[in-house]
Amino acid sequence: MSSPLRRPPKVVPQRSEKRWLGVAARATLVGAGMSLMFLGMIAFADTPDVTLDSVLGLLAQRRHGHTLYTEQIDSALLKRPLHASGELFFDAPDRLEKKTLLPKPQDLIVEGDQVTIIRGTHRTSMQLSDYPQLSPLLNAIRATLAGDRPTLEKDFQVALSSSGSVWSINLKPLASEAKPVYERIEIRGVDGKVARLTLERVTGERTTMTLSEPTGS
């Protein structure tokens, strides 16, 4: 009989490392979840009207997903935009994985309240609940993937606009005690697929992600 697999020991980050993880997670964590929204969608070819409820309904149908992404970060603090690319995975109800391939390999996994960042042989874990600025945003992502409009509207003002087959969902944080990380999140798509999403932080930094399906899917 083979011996049971052992999980690697949990590494608790020190205060300085924990602070860095919070900054890194703001871009990667949210980007991973929001990008994977398109995986639940199918074409609206036979749907007469595109509404927020119809989009959320389609999102709730998909339990697993895999997509490719390219990402650009623009900031006044940067001499030039930052670029990254890789793969995104989703397993309902709450597992998100962002696997960065370029410029440097990195794996970020979110499951339940556990966040894990892997770089080479270095593995760091933290609890999402330790970051109240991020928790409402991630909960909103999960609610969107689940098609749960009431939960989504607890923390965000949600609006959908469309013109023909082109539509966009806009999420704007509601006033709360915790200062929001993002000013606005926009998800744009055509028919039943998301083509691009934009994340605008309160600092003025902007992250733009372009999505595509893996070859042969």
Side-chain angles (χ1 to χ4, degrees):
M1 179 181 297
S2 60
S3 60
L5 296 174
R6 294 183 179 179
R7 287 188 173 184
K10 177 181 176 181
V11 179
V12 179
Q14 299 300 316
R15 180 173 298 179
S16 60
E17 185 177 17
K18 190 174 182 181
R19 183 181 304 168
W20 177 89
L21 287 172
V23 174
R26 279 196 280 267
T28 55
L29 186 60
V30 178
M34 296 299 291
S35 301
L36 286 161
M37 289 178 184
F38 94 101
L39 295 170
M41 294 185 174
I42 57 178
F44 281 108
D46 299 323
T47 305
D49 297 306
V50 178
T51 66
L52 179 60
D53 286 332
S54 68
V55 171
L56 293 177
L58 289 173
L59 286 167
Q61 294 178 17
R62 189 68 176 263
R63 306 294 292 174
H64 309 281
H66 174 210
T67 181
L68 306 179
Y69 78 90
T70 58
E71 180 180 68
Q72 177 174 311
I73 300 177
D74 296 278
S75 172
L77 301 177
L78 300 172
K79 293 182 178 179
R80 56 182 179 275
L82 297 179
H83 297 272
S85 61
E87 299 177 276
L88 298 159
F89 302 87
F90 167 67
D91 292 293
D94 60 6
R95 187 181 190 279
L96 303 174
E97 179 176 359
K98 184 178 184 183
K99 185 180 292 293
T100 301
L101 302 177
L102 295 172
K104 292 183 179 181
Q106 173 180 291
D107 204 4
L108 184 142
I109 303 169
V110 184
E111 189 166 10
D113 193 47
Q114 184 79 13
V115 179
T116 303
I117 297 177
I118 304 172
R119 293 191 191 87
T121 59
H122 185 67
R123 183 186 187 99
T124 306
S125 296
M126 68 178 187
Q127 301 300 118
L128 182 66
S129 55
D130 291 339
Y131 297 87
Q133 290 182 323
L134 288 176
S135 297
L137 197 52
L138 180 59
N139 290 335
I141 293 170
R142 290 169 168 169
T144 304
L145 291 170
D148 186 351
R149 181 171 178 172
T151 299
L152 188 64
E153 292 178 332
K154 285 175 60 177
D155 295 307
F156 288 88
Q157 178 183 339
V158 186
L160 182 138
S161 60
S162 63
S163 177
S165 60
V166 179
W167 54 265
S168 67
I169 296 176
N170 284 275
L171 302 177
K172 186 175 180 62
L174 299 174
S176 64
E177 294 183 3
K179 184 179 179 180
V181 175
Y182 286 88
E183 178 71 25
R184 186 177 67 94
I185 299 171
E186 181 187 43
I187 311 158
R188 293 181 60 84
V190 179
D191 290 325
K193 291 186 179 181
V194 169
R196 185 182 67 188
L197 65 93
T198 303
L199 312 172
E200 294 182 358
R201 291 180 58 178
V202 294
T203 59
E205 179 180 293
R206 172 179 293 201
T207 300
T208 303
M209 302 189 76
T210 303
L211 314 173
S212 61
E213 295 185 2
T215 303
S217 62

